[in-house]
Amino acid sequence: MAIPQVNAPEFDANFCNFSRACIPQPRPGEKLDSLGQFTMYRAMYRNFGTHESIVISHATDMASNAKSRGGIRWAELRDNGGGWILHQTGTFSPDTSNSRWLPSIAQDKQGNIAIGYSISSTGTNPGVRYATRSAGDTLGTMGSEQVLVNGGGVQQSSGNRWGDYASMSVDPVDGCTFWFTTEYYANSGSFDFKTRIGSFKQPGCI
């Protein structure tokens, strides 16, 4: 069976000319790998009965110059019985100073969507944040940014790698609770990252 092609708006995957040293931190932190050329873990599938849905996310370069700045591109594909189509897509970048990257996305049993990701800039220690949308919200939009944990330090001399094991999942028991995990630094150092696991759910999901 042929795999269908679903067209989506263009995005810029070329962060810092594909250099691993890209996303800035406050000094003396090293620049971090954006992994911008990859769709991030995972493409989540859910069958709602009336339709099937897949949600995906990845980083996109929001800057128009050589200084790359990460934003989150996300999309929902749907099959209503006639084949897969792009149901909605959006770019989440609520300010022009911070990079947001390494996202992970999931969808609960009511069709609400959550995205967790890392955030960093020259003035913001790498931390963990998330945003959500309810199923009835305007297509392509996300709600306000929420803090899971603020970073207490920066990464130094660790090969530029960062948080590529990030994962957003939905609790298999209640079908409502989102669980997100990724890395951060409580104190500045090298290869001394911590892992934060957090949970939340959309109001009204029971």
Side-chain angles (χ1 to χ4, degrees):
M1 183 178 69
I3 299 175
Q5 176 176 307
V6 177
N7 294 322
E10 291 184 354
F11 65 94
D12 187 356
N14 184 358
F15 284 77
C16 303
N17 292 320
F18 298 108
S19 170
R20 287 177 62 173
C22 187
I23 303 295
Q25 307 177 81
R27 293 182 178 181
E30 65 183 352
K31 290 187 176 181
L32 304 172
D33 193 348
S34 72
L35 293 179
Q37 66 271 41
F38 300 107
T39 300
M40 301 308 296
Y41 181 84
R42 60 191 164 93
M44 181 190 174
Y45 168 84
R46 186 178 283 275
N47 191 330
F48 289 93
T50 57
H51 66 275
E52 298 171 86
S53 176
I54 297 174
V55 289
I56 60 173
S57 63
H58 56 86
T60 182
D61 190 354
M62 303 298 297
S64 58
N65 52 40
K67 295 183 178 180
S68 293
R69 180 175 61 82
I72 306 299
R73 175 66 63 86
W74 62 276
E76 179 187 2
L77 310 180
R78 280 194 182 185
D79 185 348
N80 297 305
W84 289 97
I85 61 170
L86 178 64
H87 176 65
Q88 61 173 326
T89 186
T91 301
F92 187 74
S93 181
D95 63 58
T96 58
S97 57
N98 290 294
S99 280
R100 293 165 177 84
W101 85 113
L102 292 174
S104 184
I105 190 170
Q107 190 174 41
D108 70 17
K109 67 181 182 182
Q110 292 187 345
N112 306 312
I113 294 174
I115 303 175
Y117 49 88
S118 292
I119 185 171
S120 183
S121 69
T122 56
T124 302
N125 289 334
V128 184
R129 301 192 185 182
Y130 67 94
T132 63
R133 59 167 280 112
S134 295
D137 290 347
T138 302
L139 293 179
T141 63
M142 278 284 161
S144 59
E145 182 170 77
Q146 306 297 319
V147 176
L148 191 59
V149 61
N150 287 316
V154 297
Q155 177 172 285
Q156 301 167 266
S157 304
S158 300
N160 310 106
R161 296 308 299 273
W162 183 268
D164 40 310
Y165 57 83
S167 177
M168 181 74 77
S169 302
V170 176
D171 195 299
V173 176
D174 66 14
C176 289
T177 302
F178 292 99
W179 293 89
F180 183 60
T181 181
T182 192
E183 78 168 80
Y184 73 104
Y185 272 71
N187 301 286
S188 296
S190 300
F191 296 103
D192 190 30
F193 62 86
K194 310 300 180 185
T195 299
R196 177 57 60 101
I197 302 173
S199 66
F200 54 89
K201 64 180 180 179
Q202 285 292 84
C205 189
I206 56 176

